[in-house]
Amino acid sequence: MDLQQAAERIEFLRKELDRHNYNYYILNTPEIDDFTFDQLMAELIGLEKAFPRFYHSASPSQRIGSDINQEFQQVAHKYQMLSLSNTYSEEEVQEFDQRVRKLTDEDFEYVCELKFDGSSISLTYENGYLVRAVTRGDGQKGDDVTANIKTIKTIPLQLKGDYPPEFEIRGEILLPFSVFDQLNREREEIGEQPFANVRNAASGTLKLQNSSVVASRKLDAYLYYVLGNNLPDDGHLELLQHAASWGFKISEHTRKCRNLQEIFDFLHEWNIKRKDLPVATDGVVIKINSTRLQQELGYTAKSPRWAIAYKFKAEQECTTLISVSYQVGRTGAITPVANLEPVLLSGTVVKRATLHNADVIQNLDLHLGDVVFVEKGGEIIPKIIRVDLASRHPLNERVSFITHCPECNTPLVRQEGESAWYCPNETGCPPQLKGKLEHFIGRKSMNIDGLGSETIDLLFQNKLINDVADLYDLKGDDLISLDRMGEKSAARILDSLELSRNVPFERVLFALGIRYVGETVAKKLARELKSIDRIANAALEELTGIEEIGQKIAESIIIWFNNDQNKLLIERLKKQGLKFEIVSEQKLGATEKLKGLSIIISGTFKKFSRDEIKTFIELNGGKNATSLSSKTNYLVAGDNIGPSKLGKAIKLKISVISEDELLELTN
Ligand code: IVH
């Protein structure tokens, strides 16, 4: 492909990908399936890599994020980012209306819009390109998070239509509830503190140093405020409609209101309907529509006189505390849970509420039989916010945190400065052992196909496994002896265990389930220190010298590797052939088994990510092809491969192989 052809193809691919992104994320009417989209994207990335002179900051390929760490630059806001004054009652809204009417004689309209509960952002566009994205910060200056913002598919990198040459647009970055639930499940699984609410999760994500992790979190954005000179309209709502035509995602639930009654109708309607939205809202913002009148009314020191936020009341109910139970997590952390008299709250029956830790119980001064108020606010899991002291019976017994593990009776410990109590019996406490096994076999860890938590439970109960190294000693007969386990399933598990010996070191490290060593930390450690021996022997300073590894994580790593049982476990796993170092490029490349072969990968894979497979091909001397042709030697087919691609490969007589067969080629 010559330069001219590459330029044309890149241009074509960028336009197509932008169009499909817009159709999918903004209009919700996708024209092509994910797989075809990924193929187009892979082709674009390949071409941009081969022809770096065509780099463009607004290319859709920039949305994938990168592993490069970024220190955020502080940037001064051109227009201050003020907040809104809050009201909690309709009377206060009425007072706001009266205040405004005292300041102007002219007739005007309001606009009511949803108040999104996320993290606010200011985007600057110049000549149709996103040039900067800055967080609110202290209102005067904020962090430049452009690289992270580019990963959000609903934020256009390049505008369409008739946009002003220079303007700012503000909005809210949101983490949809569905992503939040999943994210918190994953965090809890790996012993990380779950995010308390979607707002924290959204702002925490925006501040991540690694934009490829941000990309994986699937943030969304609604824009609600256009600022600049020579804007195409005086009306705020009309400006938002213009912004929609330039490619921005604007809430469709914004409405013009002419009087208080219409405003109240909007408040009542959305107090109910908001519960069905996929993202969090915490109120309604009422704004004067005319931007000219907005300017005339101006600002107080803190907020505009032309707008006000009406906050929804978090739903509360009162019920009785029956008992407190204690759950033991994989890392031994004890979580107290309140068992309540069932009560209806926001449309669901609530029977349990989280109490988080011992401090929460103490601060509430909780007694059994107490009448308590439960609330479901931004948080998904209800919590107890208050105790009705007046109705407490004098004989109610104070809730005192347990001193021994409810599962294995070991005395609990608490580290200084931490709120959680732990059961220290890591190698003997059943839920910890089972939790560790489940974590080890998980998709993001060793990805042992065919083994689920039920089988783990059976193996554990039958004393066939106690720790993760025992998995590799399992024989076919051990598995077949289990209830409902056929020969085929047993063989699948054994194959899968065999294959897991190829799982890269960083995932093995994550799979060990060391407290606070999540996916990102494991990756960092593996890449910096390269082998388990160096990690095991690293001094505190060496560990804390690595980016994103603080004192707490470093201490936890040291404690883990000082434990004799853990040392033994590593030795046993080493003997089983698991990867405990980053395999150097030369070592892998030495086979040159794939030399001269043009290989294309397609679909999603079980053992490795697409990037890992591509690297594997290159390291073994092969070439990653970007499109199928008669010159392609192999098509490595994963799940969900498109039928047309498969058909083409067959027609061209290209060998279609699996991920495992690819690995075998290098043996
Ligand atoms: S307008 C001059 N509209 O609420 C103020 N803000 O306390 C311009 N927010 O910092 C903001 N939804 O993060 C506006 N539809 C909406 C909003 C909204 C959420 C947030 C925003 C702002 C805070 C106000």
Side-chain angles (χ1 to χ4, degrees), residues 38-39 41-43 45-46 49 594 599-603 605 608-626 636 662:
D38 290 348
Q39 288 298 111
M41 181 64 92
E43 189 187 344
I45 291 170
K49 215 167 159 186
L594 305 181
I599 303 174
I600 188 162
I601 70 165
S602 193
F605 297 93
F608 302 102
S609 72
R610 291 170 65 91
D611 280 345
E612 281 167 345
I613 294 188
K614 283 187 182 165
T615 313
F616 179 83
I617 292 172
E618 277 170 21
L619 292 178
N620 284 285
K623 198 175 132 264
N624 281 297
T626 45
V636 188
L662 173 73

Side-chain angles (χ1 to χ4, degrees), residues 302-579:
K302 277 195 288 190
S303 49
R305 289 199 188 88
W306 46 265
I308 197 157
Y310 169 86
K311 301 267 276 204
F312 294 128
K313 280 183 205 70
E315 283 175 274
Q316 277 183 14
E317 267 315 325
C318 69
T319 182
T320 310
L321 174 70
I322 304 170
S323 63
V324 174
S325 24
Y326 298 85
Q327 292 171 346
V328 187
R330 170 175 64 78
T331 57
I334 311 284
T335 310
V337 178
N339 299 307
L340 308 164
E341 202 67 70
V343 61
L344 196 66
L345 182 66
S346 317
T348 50
V349 178
V350 172
K351 290 186 216 148
R352 285 147 74 81
T354 175
L355 288 166
H356 295 289
N357 54 49
D359 295 347
V360 171
I361 296 181
Q362 201 177 4
N363 293 342
L364 286 168
D365 182 28
L366 213 54
H367 286 54
L368 294 178
D370 272 355
V371 171
V372 294
F373 288 86
V374 280
E375 185 179 285
K376 225 177 181 182
E379 294 79 15
I380 306 298
I381 309 162
K383 61 178 180 191
I384 296 182
I385 44 152
R386 186 162 69 82
V387 174
D388 182 17
L389 292 175
S391 67
R392 175 178 291 162
H393 191 279
L395 293 179
N396 281 1
E397 185 191 333
R398 167 174 283 132
V399 175
S400 49
F401 205 83
I402 48 170
T403 53
H404 289 71
C405 176
E407 302 279 345
C408 70
N409 212 27
T410 305
L412 301 180
V413 295
R414 168 140 95 164
Q415 263 169 35
E416 225 188 276
E418 281 209 27
S419 39
W421 284 92
Y422 285 93
C423 164
N425 183 14
E426 267 187 61
T427 47
C429 177
Q432 292 191 56
L433 293 174
K434 266 192 277 177
K436 282 189 175 65
L437 283 159
E438 276 168 18
H439 172 73
F440 186 81
I441 60 167
R443 200 169 44 84
K444 291 187 170 171
S445 308
M446 306 302 281
N447 193 16
I448 314 287
D449 223 14
L451 257 188
S453 58
E454 273 175 40
T455 319
I456 289 287
D457 211 34
L458 281 176
L459 289 166
F460 188 79
Q461 276 171 28
N462 288 310
K463 304 216 168 7
L464 288 164
I465 53 170
N466 198 48
D467 62 31
V468 299
D470 294 339
L471 286 170
Y472 293 92
D473 294 329
L474 283 175
K475 305 273 172 307
D477 288 347
D478 296 334
L479 289 163
I480 293 168
S481 72
L482 300 178
D483 253 9
R484 277 178 298 168
M485 172 76 69
E487 257 175 52
K488 247 193 183 157
S489 314
R492 188 159 143 230
I493 294 173
L494 292 179
D495 278 355
S496 201
L497 280 162
E498 181 60 38
L499 274 170
S500 75
R501 294 188 162 99
N502 288 320
V503 167
F505 173 44
E506 56 194 44
R507 272 172 49 200
V508 179
L509 186 59
F510 168 64
L512 293 175
I514 303 168
R515 190 181 297 164
Y516 308 131
V517 179
E519 241 184 312
T520 319
V521 171
K523 233 182 227 172
K524 276 262 143 64
L525 276 170
R527 288 186 188 166
E528 287 293 323
L529 297 177
K530 309 256 185 315
S531 75
I532 196 94
D533 295 335
R534 271 193 69 192
I535 298 174
N537 295 317
L540 191 83
E541 301 72 51
E542 193 173 359
L543 292 170
T544 51
I546 300 171
E547 217 177 8
E548 280 182 42
I549 299 192
Q551 185 84 9
K552 197 164 99 174
I553 302 178
E555 279 171 6
S556 159
I557 295 168
I558 290 176
I559 293 171
W560 198 91
F561 283 102
N562 267 336
N563 178 316
D564 286 341
Q565 304 231 39
N566 290 337
K567 282 183 196 162
L568 200 67
L569 186 79
I570 298 290
E571 287 316 309
R572 285 171 62 208
L573 291 173
K574 270 186 183 169
K575 280 206 189 99
Q576 293 290 354
L578 268 62
K579 298 240 177 312

Side-chain angles (χ1 to χ4, degrees), residues 644-661:
S644 61
K645 173 141 262 170
L646 210 53
K648 192 170 170 195
I650 294 166
K651 214 159 133 199
L652 290 169
K653 298 204 169 60
I654 295 166
S655 309
V656 181
I657 57 171
S658 69
E659 168 181 22
D660 298 338
E661 283 166 330

Side-chain angles (χ1 to χ4, degrees), residues 81-86 113-121 136 171-172 224-225 282 285 287 299 304 306 309:
M81 273 182 98
L82 294 170
S83 58
L84 297 167
S85 53
N86 289 332
E113 49 195 69
L114 293 172
K115 185 171 186 305
F116 294 101
D117 198 10
S119 195
S120 47
I121 195 78
R136 188 183 135 125
E172 207 78 356
Y224 47 64
Y225 190 22
D282 62 344
V285 184
K287 300 174 182 173
Y299 297 81
W306 46 265

